[in-house]
Amino acid sequence: MAGPFEGAGLTGRRVADESLLSDEKTMLENDPGGMLRATASAGAQVRESAALAAEANLGVLADEGRPRAVVVAGIGTAGLTGDILATVAGPRCPVPVIGHRSAGVPGWVGAADVVIAVSASGRSPEALAAADAAARRGARLVAIGNPDSELQAMAERARAPFIPVPRRAPARASLWGLAVPVLLAARSLGLVKVNEADLAETAARLDADAERCRAGAESFVNPAKSLALGLAGSIPIVWGSSPLATVAARRFADTLAANARYPVMAGALGEAGRGRVGLLDGPFGGLAESSRDIFADPDELAELSTRLRLVVLRDGGLNPEDEADEPVAVEERRADAVQTLAERRGVRCDVVTAEGGSALERLASLVAVPDFASIYLALAHGLDPMAVPAINEMKELSNPLPEGLQ
Ligand SMILES: O=P(O)(O)OC[C@H]1O[C@H](O)[C@H](O)[C@@H](O)[C@@H]1O
C-alpha cells in the first residue's frame, strides 16, 4: 500500500553519510539540477547584474530627488534583498528602507516614495501586486527580475525602469543577481555608497570562496563541507553579531531549510542574548551534553540525542563606528560571551568571521561558505538540494482552483 508520502519525492537518509561528500562524481550526480554550479556563479552574478543595471535607465529615478521612503517588495530570496539594502545602507541612510513581504505595498505608500519590486521569476503575486499598487498610487517604481515576464510587462506599462536578471537557477541561488540591482537602484537615489571597486572585490571574494568550497576539495580543506558535517544531525542555531551578520544568519536559515531541510533558529545575537540564549541550558543544549555517556558508541549516540549546534557569524570588528550603531566593542564582547557560554555547557560552536573592507564584501564573506554548507548537508543526507517537494505541494494546495472547477 502506498505510504502517506508516496509521490512526494521523499528520498534520502535519516543519518548523514560523510562518505557521500568524498567523491566529486557522486556529488555531481546527486545534484542533478546543478545547485553547486548555480551557487558557484555568485561572483559572476554580481558582475552580470552590475552591467545590466548600468544599462537600465536608473537615472530617471533620481530626477525627482530623494524619496520619502524606499519599499523593497518581494517574497523569499527576493524579499531578503530588502534586508541587504537596509544593512548595506546602514544606520546613516537618510530615508527608511522597508522590506515588504506580503502582497501590495504598505497603506502609506504614495507619490513621494520609491517601490523596488523584486522577483526572480518575474511572477510572484507579492512583487506583481506591489508593482501594480506603486503604479496606481503614483510612487516611483523600479522592477527587477526575469526578462519577458509579467513583471517586466507591468514595469513597461508603468514606464518604470526594469532591470532584467536572466533566470538560470532557482531564486535562492540567484541572491546576488537580484541583490546587486536593488543596491544600484538605491545608489542612483543617493541612499547607499556602493562603488565599482566594492562590487569587483565582492565578486572576487565570492569567486575565491566558491573555489575553496568546490566539490573536488576534501572536507579538511573545504570550509563548507566541514561546516556541513559539523551540523549534521543537530539543530543549528545561527546568530549574527551585528545587523549585517544577522542578515547572513537569516540567509543561512533559509538555505539550510530549503536545501538540506533542517530546522534552524536564526537571529540577532543582541536579541538572543536577552532571551533565546536560554536554549543553551535546555534539553537540546547543556542538558543533552551533560547526560552523554562518554563510553557509549558514538554512532548510537548520534542517533539517540539531538543536540544544538551553534554557528556564530561575526562581523569581525570591521564595522565603521557610527553613533547610530551599536559600538563594535559591544558586538564583539557579546560574540565572545556566547562562545564562552557554549563552551561551558559543552555545546559545539562554529564561528565564521567576516572579511573584506566594504559592507557588501563582508556580507558576501558570511554568506558564501554557509550557502555551500547547506548544499553539502543536503548531499550528505542523499537529498537533492534543488528539489523542494513540500514547497511545490504547498503552492499547489493553496492555489485557488481554476474557475469552473470550484
Ligand atoms: O523571486 P520569485 O520568483 O518571486 O520567488 C520568490 C520565492 O518563491 C518561492 O516561494 C520559492 O520557493 C522561493 O525560493 C522564492 O524566493
Side-chain angles (χ1 to χ4, degrees), residues 15-38:
V15 178
D17 179 352
E18 184 171 353
S19 73
L20 288 172
L21 299 190
S22 52
D23 176 45
E24 186 177 353
K25 194 166 156 276
T26 316
M27 272 182 283
L28 297 180
E29 277 166 15
N30 292 339
D31 175 24
M35 272 304 260
L36 282 168
R37 200 177 351 101

Side-chain angles (χ1 to χ4, degrees), residues 217-241:
E218 292 184 52
S219 16
F220 58 93
V221 287
N222 184 325
K225 284 187 186 173
S226 51
L227 181 57
L229 291 169
L231 289 173
S234 74
I235 301 175
I237 307 278
V238 190
W239 283 326
S241 71

